[in-house]
Amino acid sequence: MLHCLDHSTASTLSRSSSSAAAASPVLAWEPHQPLSAASLYVYLQICRGPFARLSSSGHNQPPSPADPPPGWPLRARGWRRGLYLEPLPRGAPPRQGGPERTHGNESSGLRGREGPGACPARAGDASTAARAPKARESSMSEQELKDMLRELVIYLIFLIDLCILAFGMVSVDMYHLNTVMSRLFMEPAEGKDGFGTIRSKADFWKFVQGPLLDGLYWDKWYNNTTLPFQNYSHIYYENLLLGVVQVRQVKVRNNTCSIYPYFRSFLDDCYSDYHYQAEDRSDDALRNESEWKYTPADPFTPWYLGNMGLYSSGGYLFTLPKSKQESMEKLASLKQNNWLTRGTRAVFIDFSTYNANLNLFCIVRLVVEFPATGGAFTSIHIYSVKLLRYITHYDYFLASCEIIFCLFIITFIIQEAIKIVKLKREYFRSGWSWLDLMLLMVSILAIIFNIYSTVEVSLLMEELLSDANVYPDFYFLTFWQVLYNNMIAVNIFFAWIKVLKYVRFNRTMEQLSSTLSRCAKDIIGFAVMFFIVFFAYAQFGYLVFGSQVEEFSTFQKCVFTQFRLVLGEFEFENTEAVNRILGPIYFISFVFFVFFVLLNMFLAIINDTYSEVKADYDMMPGHKVPIRDLFRHVSKHLRNYLI
C-alpha cells in the first residue's frame, strides 16, 4: 500500500538526512504489500516530482524494474525537488497531522497537501489516480510545446535575418581584391625588389622611387598607348585611386636613452625605442613644407599597433602629387634633404582605391618599422570593405533585413526588461540570461557602428568630391567598419550558441549539460594544476630559447607555441640547435608531463563523469519531451493550418 506522508510524519519515519526530509514529501509503502514500477511512476507523477533514478541504500545492486522485495528501502531523487521512498513500519498510520485540502475536483477522490508538490491522500481508486497524472502531464506537455514552439520559431526567424546580414557583408571578391593588391607591391615585375625586401633606409628609398610609383600610377595600356583618364590613375585598369597618397613618419628625439659612461667619449647621439614620451614633435625652422612640420594626432584616429611598438596617428607627413613625374621629383628632394633620420622609427604609406565593378573600397597601408636595433621590418595591411551599401536591389533587401534586425532587438530588450523586473535577482542566476544580455549588448554595439559608419562615409565622400587633391582618410572608416564586422561575427556566434537553449529538453543535450555541470569543480581544480605546469614550461622556454628562436621570442609566443606542441606541431630542430642539452630535456619532459599525463587526466575526468551520468539516465524513464515529439507537434499544426 502506498501512502503520502506530510512533513511532520516524514521527519519521524524517514531515516534520510534532515535537510532532504524537510524539503521533500515522503512517499512510503508497507513492506508486506507488493509495489510495481508502474505504480511507483504513477504516484511520483502525481506528486509532481519526476524522478531521475531509483537507487538502493544498504544493497549492492540497484532495484529492478519489477516489484521490489519487501523491506527494500528505495529512494527517488527528483529533478525539481527531492523525493524519498522509504518502507513504512508495520502498524504506522498512513497519515498523521498536517493540514489537508482538497485540490482539483472533489469527485476525483484525490486529497493532498496544499502546494505544487502535493501527494494524493490515498491510493484508493487506481483508475482515477492513473487518469489524473496523465491529464496533468498531457496538459503540461501541450503548454510547454506551444511555448517552446513559439519561441523557437521567432528565434529562428531572427537567426535567419542575422545570417543574411552577416553573409551579405562579405564575398569572395574581397579576398581576390586583397590578393592582387598585395602581389602588386610584394611581388613586383622582374628585376625589381618588392616591399618585403626592405632591410634598411636605403632600400626604402629604392622601393618608393621604383615599385611604389609603378604600382600607383597606371597611365599607359599594355601596348604603351596613353590612357584617357586625365590625371586619374586606375590600378590594374579597374581600381580608381582616390585622392592622393599620404606618407607619414614618426620619430624619437635625440638623447632619449642613457649611454654607459665608458662609451660616452665614442657616442654622442642616443635614440631610444618609440614611445609617446620620447616622440619628436619639433619643427624645422628653415623649411615651411608640411613634411618638415609636425602634425598633431587626431583624437578620433586610432593608433597603430606594430611589431615594435604602439605608434600615434601624428607625425611628419606629405602627399604625393597626381603626376608620376612630380612624385618622383618630390621623393628625390626628400631623399636628398635627409627626410629620414636616425630617429625615424616608422613610416606609413596610405592610399585608397575604389572598384566600381564590385562596389568595393580597398584601403592599403604599407608600414616600415626602423627599430633601435637598426635594420627594417615591413608589414602590409589591405582591407576590402563595402562602404557604399545601398545601390542594388539586393542592397535594399539587406537594408530591410537591418530594419527587421533592429525591431527584433527592441523586442528582445523589452522582453528581457520585463523578466528582470519580474524575477529580479533570480534572473541573473541563470546562464542563459547572461547569454541573452551578451547577445543584446553586442547587437546594440553593431547597430551603433553601422549608423556611425554610414554617416561618416557620406560626409567623407562629399569632401573628396569637392577636392580630389586631398588624402581621403578611409583608413579611419575602415577601422570602424572592421569593428562592425567583428561585432556581427561575435553576435552570430552567440546567436548560434543560444540555439542550445531551445534543444536542451533533448535527452542527449541534457546528458551533455549534466556532464559539464557535474565535473565543473574537478575541471577547475585540474586547470589550476595544468596551468601551473604549463606556464612554468613557458617561462623556461622563453628564458632559454627566446633570443634565438622566433617561436619563443616573446612570452606570448611561448604560450601559443606550447599549445601547438600539444596538437603535434613543433620544430624540434630549432630548440636543439640553440641548446643541445636543455632543448631535448624541455621537449621530452613537456611531451611526457603535459601531453601524456595531464591531457589524459583531463579526458579521464570527463569520461568518468559522462559514464556516471549515462548510467543515471539509463535507469531513468524519460520525463522530458523527446525532440521527435516536438517535430511531430509542428507537423501536426502545419497540416491543420494548411487544411
Side-chain angles (χ1 to χ4, degrees):
M1 179 72 68
L2 285 169
H3 307 283
C4 182
L5 308 182
D6 58 5
H7 288 275
S8 60
T9 308
S11 61
T12 304
L13 298 179
S14 176
R15 297 181 179 271
S16 303
S17 62
S18 60
S19 61
S24 309
V26 175
L27 189 66
W29 60 285
E30 295 181 353
H32 63 277
Q33 294 291 338
L35 174 65
S36 65
S39 300
L40 174 62
Y41 179 73
V42 167
Y43 275 86
L44 288 175
Q45 291 297 324
I46 295 175
C47 291
R48 300 288 299 276
F51 58 93
R53 62 170 177 167
L54 297 177
S55 61
S56 64
S57 57
H59 292 76
N60 295 328
Q61 298 296 331
S64 63
D67 294 340
W72 193 334
L74 298 178
R75 181 181 64 177
R77 293 187 300 181
W79 287 91
R80 301 185 181 91
R81 59 179 65 83
L83 260 172
Y84 295 87
L85 183 67
E86 303 223 357
L88 182 68
R90 295 179 182 273
R95 185 173 184 85
Q96 296 178 5
E100 291 189 3
R101 179 179 177 179
T102 302
H103 62 99
N105 193 349
E106 291 280 348
S107 63
S108 64
L110 297 178
R111 296 175 61 84
R113 293 186 295 106
E114 183 178 4
C119 299
R122 55 186 177 84
D125 188 355
S127 60
T128 305
R131 288 194 302 269
K134 288 182 179 179
R136 181 182 303 171
E137 183 181 2
S138 176
S139 61
M140 288 178 57
S141 300
E142 185 76 17
Q143 185 63 33
E144 288 179 358
L145 276 175
K146 289 182 179 180
D147 295 341
M148 191 178 301
L149 179 62
R150 183 179 65 255
E151 292 182 8
L152 181 59
V153 170
I154 294 175
Y155 188 75
L156 287 179
I157 296 175
F158 166 76
L159 190 58
I160 293 173
D161 181 75
L162 182 59
C163 290
I164 293 175
L165 290 179
F167 292 101
M169 299 185 307
V170 296
S171 66
V172 68
D173 295 325
M174 294 181 176
Y175 169 76
H176 294 158
L177 182 57
N178 292 344
T179 301
V180 297
M181 296 299 291
S182 176
R183 291 175 180 174
L184 178 62
F185 300 103
M186 300 298 293
E187 303 173 7
E190 297 181 0
K192 296 182 180 181
D193 296 330
F195 180 70
T197 62
I198 297 177
R199 298 292 181 267
S200 63
K201 294 180 175 65
D203 294 337
F204 170 80
W205 288 115
K206 185 185 298 184
F207 169 78
V208 296
Q209 291 179 306
L212 178 64
L213 295 182
D214 294 339
L216 291 175
Y217 299 97
W218 292 59
D219 52 0
K220 293 183 180 297
W221 191 245
Y222 61 86
N223 58 0
N224 289 329
T225 58
T226 303
L227 297 176
F229 292 144
Q230 297 180 357
N231 294 331
Y232 289 99
S233 175
H234 286 69
I235 300 176
Y236 283 117
Y237 311 112
E238 303 294 344
N239 302 278
L240 173 65
L241 180 63
L242 300 176
V244 294
V245 181
Q246 176 181 276
V247 183
R248 176 175 61 92
Q249 73 161 321
V250 292
K251 301 189 296 184
V252 295
R253 300 187 306 272
N254 189 10
N255 298 324
T256 51
C257 53
S258 301
I259 302 176
Y260 198 74
Y262 291 165
F263 295 95
R264 288 178 181 174
S265 59
F266 303 99
L267 302 172
D268 297 330
D269 302 327
C270 181
Y271 298 89
S272 67
D273 289 327
Y274 178 85
H275 53 89
Y276 186 72
Q277 291 76 12
E279 185 178 7
D280 187 3
R281 303 181 185 88
S282 61
D283 297 336
D284 191 337
L286 301 179
R287 298 180 177 91
N288 295 323
E289 293 83 358
S290 62
E291 54 265 29
W292 305 102
K293 303 291 184 180
Y294 180 80
T295 302
D298 189 344
F300 297 101
T301 302
W303 288 23
Y304 174 79
L305 180 60
N307 297 323
M308 303 299 167
L310 181 64
Y311 304 97
S312 71
S313 57
Y316 302 85
L317 56 88
F318 66 92
T319 58
L320 295 178
K322 302 286 289 184
S323 171
K324 182 178 180 180
Q325 183 62 32
E326 294 177 0
S327 299
M328 292 181 62
E329 295 175 356
K330 185 164 188 174
L331 291 173
S333 175
L334 292 173
K335 178 182 178 181
Q336 185 67 26
N337 290 281
N338 295 322
W339 187 67
L340 298 182
T341 64
R342 287 184 56 191
T344 300
R345 288 293 171 259
V347 179
F348 303 87
I349 303 174
D350 298 298
F351 61 93
S352 305
T353 64
Y354 175 70
N355 190 304
N357 304 330
L358 306 174
N359 188 28
L360 290 178
F361 288 83
C362 185
I363 289 81
V364 181
R365 167 166 283 186
L366 307 176
V367 183
V368 184
E369 297 179 73
F370 299 99
T373 59
F377 295 89
T378 61
S379 57
I380 182 171
H381 306 276
I382 302 176
Y383 306 96
S384 293
V385 293
K386 189 175 182 179
L387 298 179
L388 300 177
R389 307 182 58 188
Y390 308 113
I391 296 179
T392 63
H393 296 291
Y394 181 72
D395 294 335
Y396 286 105
F397 168 72
L398 292 179
S400 62
C401 293
E402 291 176 353
I403 297 175
I404 296 174
F405 175 78
C406 294
L407 295 177
F408 269 114
I409 296 303
I410 295 174
T411 304
F412 291 157
I413 291 175
I414 296 175
Q415 290 179 352
E416 297 304 316
I418 294 175
K419 291 180 181 178
I420 293 175
V421 173
K422 183 181 299 183
L423 300 177
K424 297 181 180 179
R425 293 184 179 180
E426 292 295 330
Y427 175 86
F428 299 99
R429 295 181 180 179
S430 173
W432 297 113
S433 299
W434 286 102
L435 181 62
D436 292 337
L437 292 178
M438 182 67 69
L439 183 63
L440 290 178
M441 290 174 57
V442 177
S443 300
I444 293 173
L445 289 177
I447 293 173
I448 294 175
F449 286 153
N450 185 23
I451 296 175
Y452 177 79
S453 176
T454 303
V455 173
E456 286 296 324
V457 168
S458 301
L459 296 178
L460 189 60
M461 291 303 299
E462 293 179 1
E463 180 182 356
L464 176 63
L465 294 176
S466 61
D467 188 359
N469 293 317
V470 298
Y471 165 70
D473 190 6
F474 283 102
Y475 184 83
F476 170 72
L477 292 177
T478 302
F479 173 81
W480 292 106
Q481 183 66 30
V482 170
L483 281 182
Y484 170 72
N485 296 344
N486 295 339
M487 289 295 103
I488 290 294
V490 174
N491 199 6
I492 200 170
F493 172 79
F494 285 122
W496 277 107
I497 294 298
K498 189 179 176 181
V499 175
L500 300 177
K501 175 181 178 181
Y502 299 100
V503 297
R504 69 186 188 275
F505 55 85
N506 178 255
R507 189 183 184 92
T508 302
M509 296 303 301
E510 198 167 22
Q511 291 180 7
L512 175 61
S513 61
S514 299
T515 301
L516 297 178
S517 60
R518 188 177 296 187
C519 68
K521 293 183 179 180
D522 294 335
I523 291 180
I524 293 175
F526 167 80
V528 173
M529 178 180 62
F530 174 83
F531 283 108
I532 288 175
V533 177
F534 190 85
F535 284 118
Y537 273 99
Q539 294 177 9
F540 178 86
Y542 173 66
L543 295 175
V544 175
F545 313 113
S547 60
Q548 301 291 333
V549 183
E550 181 181 1
E551 288 79 5
F552 294 89
S553 58
T554 63
F555 184 75
Q556 293 83 357
K557 289 185 178 181
C558 288
V559 173
F560 290 117
T561 299
Q562 291 186 164
F563 276 117
R564 290 167 53 194
L565 196 154
V566 172
L567 298 176
E569 182 183 353
F570 186 74
E571 296 181 1
F572 172 71
E573 295 79 7
N574 294 337
T575 57
E576 185 184 23
V578 174
N579 195 313
R580 296 186 179 276
I581 298 176
L582 295 180
I585 293 176
Y586 165 82
F587 178 78
I588 295 174
S589 61
F590 181 85
V591 170
F592 177 78
F593 287 107
V594 176
F595 186 78
F596 289 109
V597 178
L598 294 180
L599 189 60
N600 283 280
M601 285 179 60
F602 173 75
L603 297 177
I605 291 173
I606 296 181
N607 186 52
D608 184 62
T609 307
Y610 179 76
S611 299
E612 295 179 0
V613 173
K614 184 72 173 176
D616 293 346
Y617 275 79
D618 289 341
M619 300 178 63
M620 175 189 66
H623 65 277
K624 292 285 184 178
V625 181
I627 195 168
R628 60 177 178 271
D629 289 349
L630 177 61
F631 288 108
R632 189 181 300 116
H633 185 80
V634 173
S635 60
K636 175 182 176 182
H637 278 265
L638 287 178
R639 286 196 303 268
N640 295 338
Y641 177 78
L642 294 176
I643 294 176

